[in-house]
Amino acid sequence: MTDAGHYEDILGDSLEFLGGKRVVDDDPITYGPLVLSVAPKAISLLADHLFSPSIFLAERIERGLLECEGKTVVELGAGAALPSLLLSTLPNPPSLLVVTDHPDEVIFDNLNSSVMRNEGAVDPKCRVVAIGYDWGTNPSTLLSWNSRTWLPADDQKGYEVMILSDLLHFDTCHDLLVTSITTLLKRSPSSRAHVSAGVYTKPQVCDSFVEKAKKAGLDIEEIHTDLSEPWLGKLPVGGLDATDLALRKANCRYWVARWSAP
């Protein structure tokens, strides 16, 4: 069995125990105004699941805890792209939102379909782009979007916000993830990378990522949330009630990374 296949079995078995009901079907996923889908099985990269960390970030976005108004945002390994697309529907959205995933045809086609399907829910002040991207590879295509004439000149050297949802379990790819962060995150004191993971990702795996991020010049802090806190999102989520959503939220970890002070 491949490493990815092994992770898939572990994470799939963990969903009902750690995160309540599964959201792993061919049926559309609804979150507020969004109608999303997960990719059919293509290659074993877990793009055919919607895991709890995406829902965790979505609740924080609903609560206004990710400061993205007017900023440029990129999500790596977006899958169904719930956090990114939810940002695009806010009354004060990012100016540019780039959603990326592995360029496998099935995975990317699903991502692109989700973007097109939800165009009507996107605030007109936000431009949404879907791009196939392998972590750690040449970022020129992604960065080229920051050179568009409709963006302010000071937004042309990287993204002000990055989203990494449930990517840390791929421990053999940590170096690639850190490389992607350091090449795509704008070198500004206000830039942030938001990283979420499920508790099914082993603590030593998360610790390894954190150490690599620090060695790369990032100040990364874990934000500890109240595990007894109820679900505070207001938008309806298809197939999950408040109890299910609170359980999913309680079984996630969350870090915020920024550039270390010189």
Side-chain angles (χ1 to χ4, degrees):
M1 177 182 294
T2 65
D3 286 345
H6 175 65
Y7 284 126
E8 183 175 21
D9 289 341
I10 292 173
L11 297 178
D13 291 343
S14 299
L15 279 178
E16 290 175 297
F17 177 70
L18 293 175
K21 299 175 184 175
R22 290 175 177 244
V23 184
V24 187
D25 292 303
D26 293 331
D27 296 332
I29 301 158
T30 59
Y31 192 113
L34 299 174
V35 180
L36 307 170
S37 58
V38 294
K41 285 189 181 294
I43 54 178
S44 192
L45 288 176
L46 309 183
D48 55 337
H49 294 71
L50 176 67
F51 287 109
S52 299
S54 289
I55 294 175
F56 171 90
L57 286 175
E59 191 226 42
R60 295 186 73 81
I61 289 167
E62 275 201 70
R63 295 167 61 192
L65 299 178
L66 271 66
E67 296 181 8
C68 297
E69 180 181 352
K71 295 185 177 182
T72 56
V73 179
V74 62
E75 181 173 2
L76 301 184
L82 170 58
S84 292
L85 290 179
L86 187 60
L87 278 172
S88 76
T89 69
L90 299 179
N92 298 299
S95 59
L96 172 66
L97 200 155
V98 177
V99 290
T100 76
D101 209 334
H102 192 274
D104 168 80
E105 182 178 359
V106 174
I107 291 175
F108 180 72
D109 283 353
N110 178 76
L111 176 63
N112 198 43
S113 294
S114 286
V115 169
M116 292 188 294
R117 183 187 306 118
N118 291 285
E119 285 178 340
V122 174
D123 187 281
K125 295 188 293 294
C126 180
R127 180 168 295 198
V128 181
V129 181
I131 298 175
Y133 178 67
D134 271 329
W135 307 334
T137 60
N138 188 332
S140 57
T141 300
L142 294 181
L143 292 173
S144 70
W145 279 94
N146 276 5
S147 65
R148 307 290 167 165
T149 56
W150 47 272
L151 282 175
D154 61 356
D155 285 341
Q156 297 180 11
K157 297 180 180 178
Y159 291 85
E160 297 163 287
V161 178
M162 294 187 68
I163 296 173
L164 291 80
S165 175
D166 208 36
L167 305 183
L168 300 193
H169 43 262
F170 294 113
D171 55 332
T172 58
C173 295
H174 284 178
D175 289 329
L176 299 178
L177 278 175
V178 171
T179 296
S180 292
I181 295 173
T182 57
T183 55
L184 291 169
L185 187 65
K186 182 179 179 180
R187 290 184 177 268
S188 165
S190 62
S191 297
R192 298 289 183 271
H194 298 274
V195 182
S196 62
V199 296
Y200 40 74
T201 301
K202 294 179 180 179
Q204 60 268 32
V205 172
C206 296
D207 292 344
S208 174
F209 172 83
V210 169
E211 287 306 309
K212 289 177 184 290
K214 288 180 178 178
K215 288 180 180 178
L218 295 166
D219 180 4
I220 182 166
E221 176 187 6
E222 182 167 7
I223 308 300
H224 297 279
T225 57
D226 182 355
L227 300 183
S228 65
E229 184 178 77
W231 179 256
L232 299 175
K234 302 300 182 184
L235 295 173
V237 183
L240 297 173
D241 60 23
T243 300
D244 295 319
L245 292 165
L247 180 58
R248 282 175 169 262
K249 181 172 76 168
N251 285 285
C252 292
R253 299 179 67 184
Y254 171 57
W255 297 261
V256 177
R258 69 192 76 191
W259 290 108
S260 300

